[in-house]
């Protein structure tokens, strides 16, 4: 179907009005917004952002690929709209898209762990409830948030945005851009602590910046089991927000009573505002007990039925790099790969090990762990401390890579040591060689320490299916 069959996302007049730009083209319609020629669709507006590579260098290629026009800071050969600053213009477009979808209710999700999964679970539920919009992948920074806003159709009824940060002062401006009616903070942990002189408390304070842009009468969905719940709930109340809680305590609005792992996922036993619930989810990770309750509270606060959230959670499979499972064909049978290679920190590492502990195995539980990054001065001690959750999870064999993980390697008893190597690339063949039928192998580590290379090697080692 051609783009002409759809209402345009933007007209050239609307873009010019939002950005104050000069239109160097006949009137045109744009059906999407793109910043990358590799994913650009015909009919998109191409936004030439400056960065490591200047987007203006790709404007000709974008237009040749069918872009409706280019939003640029200098004249290009072809239809364009010229503005002084393309990033600021993208922000203006995002704000205009937000304002024209006047009745849309918006949620923002942040947290040290779980924000992408919870954002996408909420998005899956909102799709079942009516016209909706959401972040794709982890578009959660100073570019991803305005880009997601600029892509929001005017008929949107509900939307959810992921907001992330590395430093203090980054979440507040993005919250003010989104103006959420609902804010979810999944959990605060020692992530990016090297950027905060006051450590984890600084991280918690930075996460609370999400309340700065809240719409009047907004709702904060908070983890009552979080060590920083007091700080976060105090900040939410100071901002005039209603606080809804999820956690294990009886006083929580959404209480987790039980989490039963089974084939193909798990069953959550909970109470929502005192109403007993028991529902299946397609996730088996132990942390998805609380994540599912955060999803329920957010969806209801957005005005969608709780049944939509429950249905979505029943079908919402683990994301690539965040718990996705694959059967690997080996001689004599199959091994199970759990791909947790996208990111890692002390909280998510422990959660992943608890999940591995809950798996029934015919062979061995194997953990392949790469360095956790941005942990701060105590990185060696933090890595070595993983020996306790590894023991509690009854992991049979541990493979490690990276200088920080060497501290764990030294702390582990010899009977649990698989191998250590300086790089993931060098470690990967050792893991492949050790894998046997019936094993369950989990790969977990920070993206920057290249845990994905081990996943790729395992997938290539057999007939993955």
């Amino acid at each position: 179907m051609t783009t002409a069959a759809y209402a345009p996302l933007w007209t050239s007049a609307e873009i010019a009005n939002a950005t104050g730009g000069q239109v160097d083209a006949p009137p045109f319609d744009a059906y999407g917004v793109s910043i990358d020629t590799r994913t650009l669709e015909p009919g998109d507006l191409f936004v030439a952002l400056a960065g490591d590579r200047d987007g203006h260098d790709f404007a000709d290629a974008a237009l040749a690929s069918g872009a409706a026009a280019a939003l640029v800071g200098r004249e290009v050969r072809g239809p364009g709209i010229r503005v002084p600053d393309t990033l600021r213009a993208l922000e203006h477009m995002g704000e205009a898209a937000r304002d024209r979808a006047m009745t849309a209710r918006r949620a923002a999700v942040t947290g040290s762990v779980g924000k992408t999964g919870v954002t996408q679970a909420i998005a899956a539920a909102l799709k079942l409830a009516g016209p909706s919009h959401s972040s794709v992948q982890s578009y959660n920074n100073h570019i991803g948030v305005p880009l997601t806003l600029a892509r929001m159709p005017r008929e949107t009824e509900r939307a959810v945005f992921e907001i992330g940060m590395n430093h203090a002062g980054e979440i507040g401006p993005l919250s003010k851009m989104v103006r959420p009616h609902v804010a979810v903070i999944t959990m605060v942990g020692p992530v990016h602590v090297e950027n905060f002189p006051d450590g984890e408390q600084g991280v918690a304070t930075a996460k609370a910046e999400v309340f700065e842009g809240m719409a009047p009468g907004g709702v904060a969905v908070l983890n009552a089991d979080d060590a920083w719940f007091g700080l976060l709930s105090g900040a939410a109340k100071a901002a005039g927000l209603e606080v809804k809680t999820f956690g294990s305590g009886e006083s929580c609005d959404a209480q987790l009573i039980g989490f039963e792992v089974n084939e193909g996922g798990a069953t959550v036993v909970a109470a929502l505002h005192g109403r007993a619930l028991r529902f299946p989810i397609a996730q088996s990770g132990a942390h998805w007990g609380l994540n599912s309750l955060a999803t329920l509270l957010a969806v209801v606060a957005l005005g969608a039925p709780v049944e939509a959230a429950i249905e979505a959670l029943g079908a919402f499979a683990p994301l690539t790099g965040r718990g996705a499972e694959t059967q690997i064909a080996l001689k004599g049978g199959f091994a199970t790969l759990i791909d947790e290679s996208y990111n890692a920190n002390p909280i998510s590492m422990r959660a992943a090990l608890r999940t591995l502990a809950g798996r029934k195995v015919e062979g061995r539980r194997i953990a392949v762990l790469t360095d956790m990054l941005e942990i701060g001065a105590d990185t060696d001690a933090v890595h070595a401390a993983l020996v306790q959750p590894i023991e509690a999870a009854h992991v049979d064999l541990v493979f490690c890579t990276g200088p920080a993980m060497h501290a764990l390697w030294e702390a582990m008893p010899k009977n649990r040591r698989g191998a250590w190597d300086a790089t993931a690339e060098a470690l990967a063949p050792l893991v492949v060689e050790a894998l046997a039928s019936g094993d369950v192998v989990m790969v977990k580590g920070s993206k920057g320490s290249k845990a994905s290379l081990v996943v790729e090697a395992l997938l290539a080692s057999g007939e993955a299916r």
Side-chain angles (χ1 to χ4, degrees), residues 136-357:
V136 295
Q137 301 178 21
S138 294
Y139 281 20
N140 61 23
N141 65 4
H142 68 290
I143 295 173
V145 172
L147 176 62
T148 301
L149 272 169
R151 290 172 168 175
M152 185 168 66
R154 67 194 79 230
E155 65 271 16
T156 299
E157 293 178 357
R158 301 177 186 89
V160 58
F161 301 83
E162 180 180 340
I163 298 182
M165 64 92 190
N166 293 318
H167 299 82
E170 293 177 345
I171 288 180
L174 298 179
S175 174
K176 291 172 183 175
M177 200 176 296
V178 173
R179 290 186 191 166
H181 301 85
V182 179
V184 181
I185 301 181
T186 56
M187 177 177 281
V188 173
V191 183
H192 308 306
V193 289
E194 64 183 22
N195 299 327
F196 293 87
D198 48 354
E200 202 169 318
Q201 181 175 343
V203 176
T205 302
K207 295 298 182 185
E209 292 176 20
V210 74
F211 305 141
E212 294 179 7
M214 296 286 289
V219 176
V221 176
L222 303 178
N223 184 345
D225 292 354
D226 193 330
W228 298 101
F229 172 71
L231 184 154
L232 297 174
S233 61
K237 290 173 182 176
L241 307 178
E242 180 183 5
V243 174
K244 295 292 184 181
T245 58
F246 61 96
S248 56
E250 292 183 2
S251 62
C252 291
D253 295 290
Q255 181 194 7
L256 182 64
I257 298 171
F259 187 81
E260 304 163 2
V261 177
N262 48 55
E263 188 172 349
T267 298
V268 176
V269 183
L272 181 65
H273 301 302
R275 172 189 169 188
L277 292 176
R278 183 183 180 90
F279 56 91
I281 65 173
Q283 306 272 350
S284 60
H287 53 292
W288 269 96
L290 291 181
N291 282 356
S292 66
L293 299 189
T295 300
L296 297 188
L297 288 173
V299 169
V300 171
L302 287 169
V306 68
E307 290 78 12
I310 291 173
E311 181 181 347
L313 287 164
F316 180 66
L319 302 171
T320 300
R322 294 183 170 93
E325 295 189 18
T326 308
Q327 296 297 304
I328 300 175
L330 300 173
K331 185 176 181 180
F334 294 89
T336 300
L337 168 64
I338 303 174
D339 178 9
E340 288 274 5
S341 63
Y342 185 80
N343 217 339
N345 57 63
I347 294 175
S348 66
M349 189 69 82
R350 282 172 163 76
L353 289 166
R354 286 197 303 272
T355 298
L356 185 58

